[in-house]
Amino acid sequence: MGASTTTLRSRYWNKEAQLAYLLMLPAVVLLVSLMVYPIAYVFMMSLYRTDRLGRLQEFAGMAAYLEVFSTRVFWETTVRTAVWTVLAVVVKAVLGMIIALVLNVEYTGRRTARMLFIIPWASSVPISAMLWKWVYDHEFGLLNQTLRATGIWTNPPVWLGAPTSAFISTIWVDIWVGVPFMALIFLAGMQAISRDLYESGEIDGANATQKFVNITIPGIRHLILIATMLSSLWTFNDFNTVFILTKGGPGTSTEILITAVYKHGFEWLRFSRAAVMAVVTFVILTMLSLFYARMFFRQERDL
Amino acid sequence: MSNWRTRNRPLVIGLTLLLLGLMLFPFFVMVSTMLKSSQEIYVVPATWIPRNLTFANFSRVWIEYHLLLYFRSSLIVALGTMVLNILVSVPAAYAVARLRFLGRKAVMYLLLAIQMFSPVIVVISLFRIFARAQLIDTYTGLILANTVFTISFATWMMTGYFSAIPSEIEEAARIDGCSRVGTLLRVMLPIAAPGLVTVMIYNFITAWNEFLFALTFINARAKMPLTLGIYQFVGRWSTQWELLTTSAFLALIPVLVLFYLIEKQLVAGLASGAVKG
């Protein structure tokens, strides 16, 4: 017993370990005081009644949870968030794949094309969302003008003005931001696949589609997984696009959990309810993150 | 393969141009609008090429709308975040990459997991904390909030760069009598310099583009960073689009340039996690 304690101590509380903890201390202090503590505080807020400044009043147990869970809007928002995330990520992956394939063909100007495709990802999301708000403008926006002038759509919708078109317009901006990341990751994967594989595929008489399905896709399978996972988390968290374009409206047609949390807190000053939704969001994100981390480390082992 | 590619090259180029038009559409609109007068943006049908080309919006945003103040705030916050982040992330990354201690695996796991936490979750309570600490309407508050949310990614990337350095190099320095901290500063950091620069630029960009914390913690115009400052052009009933697009253009140039510098490393880092073991 005594001997094993000493070995344990010498293994884990030696000079090297002490230095490690010391070097990590500043990061840990910041993370604990400005991330862990605030999250704990949000849990507290969800269990207390709060005043309009978010100060804790009296303990209320699960009252705020019951209030939130009994509203229809909360469940609609949750389902919409799931639809929003899945739909956006699927379209991002498909469009990203098309762009990656296009960029994988050799032609002059390919490097320029690659540089240009990155711009939506490289630019600032809040600023892009503001630009899109102007693009979508019903009367004076250049999108509708172009659609009318070219005859593609002579009577285009008031994009951000009606529930369905607002949802489509908003999710498109989120997709538009996320596509270049997918494309670049896929392209990097494609370029790492050995040429020999394609050549032997050709000798076996495989056509372009067969080569894509049997060589390209398996070759970048792990990258597709990682990119999809990362993109899901970003999409789920995309506050800027929704808040700037529609603030969740008209009605609640573009509301997702993350914007609902913010609006309950800072627009309607219902901090307990905001905290309940933040806790729900936290639980969902934690599950997704742990899933991602596990998948990531499993892959590391496989490689 | 090459055969297929040659045959379909015109098709591919056509598709590329179509997709580029789709992806760059809002930027064409931005450039078109910023060169119009405030009357011409409300002309129906809207014009792609301004009838009266004007650069007046540029001087207006600088002189009448204090864009310089927003630029200054963004610069202070972004540089502050960059520096503070490096000061805490580099030592932590060195510990994770090179030292043996209890809980090392758990730390790596956590770094990856907290990378995904949305600022929105904490912002409702962080507001209370900042109000009590009198950090509302301060650059310090924004720098602290931005730093906390960039620590995990920065540490994760730096861990990868440090791990990639052969341990023989470090051991040689240690035999020559260099301390651990000495090797970190004099041997490891210079070798990992390209990685360090990538992480610094990434932090700068993240802070430059940040909107949520600014929206929540900043009310004073003089302290607003660019994203929030430009958002002030969006009015309840009408928006000054010609000024918004001009400011957007000016605000985007620095981040676009910086992004191109690190784009390759960023993609590699995100794809592989940059970390081995």
Side-chain angles (χ1 to χ4, degrees), chain A residues 16 21 38 53 55 102 106-107 114-115 122 124 134 145-146 176 202 230 233 237 262 289 294 300, chain B residues 1 5 9 16 23 33 45-46 48 100 102 109 116 118 120-121 125 128 209 216 241 259-260 263 275:
Chain A
E16 188 173 330
Y21 295 128
L53 289 171
R55 283 181 297 222
V102 160
E106 277 152 47
Y107 56 86
R114 185 178 180 281
M115 273 184 78
S124 147
W134 173 228
Q145 163 57 22
T146 306
W176 173 86
E202 269 157 44
L230 268 175
L233 288 154
N237 281 336
Y262 193 85
S289 304
R294 269 191 53 184
E300 286 280 299
Chain B
M1 195 73 188
R5 286 180 175 179
R9 195 169 288 162
T16 307
M23 297 303 280
T33 310
W48 267 107
R100 264 176 309 155
L102 185 64
Y109 215 81
M116 300 309 156
S118 165
V120 176
I121 298 171
S125 58
R128 288 282 333 131
N209 291 343
T216 315
W241 293 111
F259 195 89
Y260 281 113
E263 166 260 313
V275 88

Side-chain angles (χ1 to χ4, degrees), chain B residues 6-257:
Chain B
T6 327
R7 250 187 296 126
N8 292 289
R9 195 169 288 162
L11 186 84
V12 167
I13 292 175
L15 188 60
T16 307
L17 290 176
L18 190 77
L19 287 167
L20 275 178
L22 195 69
M23 297 303 280
L24 299 181
F25 195 87
F27 301 110
F28 297 142
V29 173
M30 173 181 80
V31 172
S32 163
T33 310
M34 73 187 191
L35 300 173
K36 287 179 184 175
S37 66
S38 45
Q39 287 84 42
E40 197 178 341
I41 64 163
Y42 295 120
V43 164
V44 181
T47 49
W48 267 107
I49 296 169
R51 280 179 228 156
N52 304 308
L53 217 61
T54 171
F55 290 92
N57 297 323
F58 286 87
S59 57
R60 284 190 71 197
V61 293
W62 283 116
I63 295 157
E64 289 171 48
Y65 291 91
H66 316 296
L67 202 67
L68 193 65
L69 280 181
Y70 304 150
F71 257 97
R72 201 182 70 135
S73 300
S74 279
L75 205 60
I76 293 172
V77 172
L79 287 174
T81 304
M82 187 177 91
V83 171
L84 184 60
N85 179 298
I86 287 302
L87 288 179
V88 302
S89 298
V90 165
Y94 179 76
V96 176
R98 277 297 198 257
L99 303 176
R100 264 176 309 155
F101 59 91
L102 185 64
R104 189 174 155 276
K105 259 258 135 72
V107 168
M108 288 176 67
Y109 215 81
L110 276 173
L111 278 179
L112 206 58
I114 60 176
Q115 206 173 305
M116 300 309 156
F117 283 168
S118 165
V120 176
I121 298 171
V122 297
V123 85
I124 49 175
S125 58
L126 209 52
F127 181 76
R128 288 282 333 131
I129 297 166
F130 276 13
R132 250 181 292 156
Q134 302 196 309
L135 287 171
I136 301 295
D137 269 333
T138 65
Y139 294 134
T140 315
L142 277 188
I143 291 170
L144 283 172
N146 282 325
T147 301
V148 164
F149 278 86
T150 44
I151 284 179
S152 62
F153 185 70
T155 308
W156 181 252
M157 293 282 278
M158 283 315 296
T159 305
Y161 293 124
F162 284 148
S163 302
I165 298 172
S167 50
E168 290 81 15
I169 295 177
E170 201 183 347
E171 277 155 22
R174 304 252 298 137
I175 290 165
D176 289 347
C178 217
S179 70
R180 275 280 181 192
V181 179
T183 42
L184 168 59
L185 292 177
R186 273 181 244 131
V187 181
M188 299 290 275
L189 269 184
I191 299 175
L196 184 72
V197 171
T198 303
V199 172
M200 285 169 81
I201 293 178
Y202 180 80
N203 292 335
F204 185 95
I205 294 176
T206 309
W208 186 273
N209 291 343
E210 205 284 325
F211 177 69
L212 173 70
F213 290 137
L215 178 72
T216 315
F217 302 139
I218 303 293
N219 302 307
R221 248 177 211 269
K223 295 284 172 69
M224 284 182 182
L226 275 163
T227 45
L228 185 61
I230 295 175
Y231 188 62
Q232 304 306 308
F233 287 121
V234 180
R236 184 179 268 267
W237 308 115
S238 75
T239 299
Q240 293 164 294
W241 293 111
E242 76 286 10
L243 301 178
L244 189 148
T245 48
T246 309
S247 315
F249 175 79
L250 293 169
L252 286 181
I253 290 174
V255 278
L256 288 183
V257 171

